[in-house]
Amino acid sequence: MTTDRIVVVGAGITGASIAYHLAKRGAKVAIVDAVRPGAGATEKSFGWINATFSKRPQAYFELNQLGIAGWRRLETELGGELKVQWGGSVAWVAAGSEADALRESVRKHQEWGYATHLIDRDEMHGLLTNIAPGEFGAACYCEAEGAVDAMDAVKAMLRQVREAGAEVRYPHEITGLKLQRGRVTAIQAGESSLEAAVVVLACGVAIPPLAEMAEVSVPLKESEGVLVHSRPQPKLIDRVVLAPGIHCKQKLDGRVVVGGPVVAGLGTSVGPTAGTAPDPGEYARQILRDAARVLPGLRGVAVERVTVGRRVMPVDEYPIVGFAANCPNLYIAAMHSGVTLGPLIGQLAALEILDGARVSLLEPYRPSRFID
Ligand SMILES: Cc1cc2nc3c(=O)[nH]c(=O)nc-3n(C[C@H](O)[C@H](O)[C@H](O)COP(=O)(O)OP(=O)(O)OC[C@H]3O[C@@H](n4cnc5c(N)ncnc54)[C@H](O)[C@@H]3O)c2cc1C
């Protein structure tokens, strides 16, 4: 091996965090992105930092809870460069089976030590003064959660990466891996190549074909998510809101971001589309109208843009992290909830790559689970 360089492929939240944690420890790092930092799922993410309630079993919940703590640490490390909105989340559902399920979820997460509790209608109004909840069955407040603009985090981490003397290269699409005796020796971008002692594949939905070149299987499934972004508004909410059929947050710049269901054929920008595809502009206005039923301050508010993102969704929905069993210097990092987990995974990956540690927390999520 003629180099000690670690090359990170993909500068979304996962790659940026891994590069940041490696560079912080003095490693020689280069990070490359096919388009620009954050251009994949990261810039289309809702950015909710959470460990509720789909985060099961307990080990996966605990990983996400540590993920929340990771953001506290990162925010401190980055000083004033990054601001996480630590307002927690408030969720409510209509009466009936959903209310029963929410109560049960809260009870289970409390057993696991999570700072969540049931709240009544008055308490909910105390936390969210501007909402009109409509039909109310049960509600809960998850105090420890937050929201972040993942792009702010990527930019702040990459600033530190550059300051540490590491290279951040884009647009630079990796088209191949050079392999020798079962190890990767370089990454290729067309005719050019960059030698590497370790290659980290953190390029989201583009991981499978690159990993396949080293005969490593990283099975992902399709999953899209739509977000509607309003123009900046005076302060309406300062927590993540999970209402029946809608979730929203208000960013530090005043923009309200609302998540809605995906509709086939939806474009990535607001404006009329041809043929039978739905009009994204009308779709987005409808999402904001739906949100205005629970947040009346959104009535008549203009849509600024719509984003449609492809989640990095492993087939079993759990992260795929670690060195590949049959290519020992190829490190894979593919995950949904990549925002929640970003700072933690960066820190743990640095331990595994630089110290040869095997972090037991990550054992359930190894790429080798997909070997037949
Ligand atoms: C609508 C939506 C809402 C979400 N909400 C949340 C949430 O509330 N909380 C949460 O925790 N998670 C959420 N997620 C998931 C989260 O955003 C992702 O898990 C996370 O952004 C994945 O980051 P990543 O860095 O692994 O991948 P990506 O952000 O996809 O980054 C991959 C990068 O690799 C680059 N790349 C691709 N191919 C190549 C190549 N050949 N060579 C070089 N570079 C390449 C791309 O340009 C891209 O920048 C959401 C996702 C979506 C879509």
Side-chain angles (χ1 to χ4, degrees), residues 9-15 32-42 44-50 172-175 202-206 210 225-227 309-312 333 335-341:
V9 181
I13 191 75
T14 308
V32 302
D33 197 284
V35 185
R36 61 180 183 280
T42 298
K44 288 134 197 149
S45 184
F46 185 65
W48 175 28
I49 300 166
N50 75 91
H172 194 78
E173 184 179 0
I174 300 312
T175 50
C203 47
V205 295
L210 287 176
V226 180
L227 296 177
R310 284 176 76 192
R311 297 187 178 92
V312 185
M335 72 209 71
H336 181 52
S337 287
V339 172
T340 299
L341 295 172

Side-chain angles (χ1 to χ4, degrees), residues 79-236:
E81 279 199 81
L82 177 68
K83 179 95 187 73
V84 177
Q85 294 171 278
W86 290 114
S89 75
V90 175
W92 74 94
V93 292
S97 60
E98 280 185 82
D100 294 341
L102 183 67
R103 287 189 203 98
E104 171 56 19
S105 288
V106 169
R107 194 194 56 74
K108 190 84 216 156
H109 269 52
Q110 285 180 329
E111 264 174 38
W112 290 344
Y114 201 43
T116 180
H117 61 273
L118 295 167
I119 51 176
D120 63 24
R121 193 186 267 268
D122 287 345
E123 288 170 310
M124 195 164 88
H125 270 297
L127 292 167
L128 296 170
T129 46
N130 293 316
I131 53 147
E135 202 198 332
F136 179 93
C140 71
Y141 175 38
C142 298
E143 298 148 53
E145 298 179 359
V148 69
D149 185 328
M151 288 304 288
D152 288 350
V154 166
K155 285 177 196 156
M157 287 192 283
L158 291 183
R159 256 196 304 274
Q160 300 283 325
V161 168
R162 284 192 192 92
E163 269 174 31
E167 193 184 352
V168 182
R169 208 186 275 188
Y170 63 91
H172 194 78
E173 184 179 0
I174 300 312
T175 50
L177 304 178
K178 250 189 197 157
L179 294 150
Q180 225 171 41
R181 289 191 288 276
R183 296 177 70 88
V184 53
T185 57
I187 52 162
Q188 290 179 294
E191 295 302 299
S192 83
S193 71
L194 189 63
E195 281 199 329
V198 173
V199 170
V200 178
L201 290 184
C203 47
V205 295
I207 293 175
L210 287 176
E212 198 54 50
M213 291 175 193
E215 294 177 15
V216 176
S217 171
V218 181
L220 305 182
K221 62 182 178 186
E222 263 317 312
S223 174
E224 288 191 332
V226 180
L227 296 177
V228 177
H229 305 249
S230 80
R231 295 254 168 82
Q233 300 301 308
K235 192 163 186 166
L236 292 169

Side-chain angles (χ1 to χ4, degrees), residues 20 73-82 152-153 156-157 160:
Y20 165 79
R73 172 186 56 81
L74 184 68
E75 194 179 23
T76 306
E77 277 176 21
L78 293 174
E81 279 199 81
L82 177 68
D152 288 350
M157 287 192 283
Q160 300 283 325

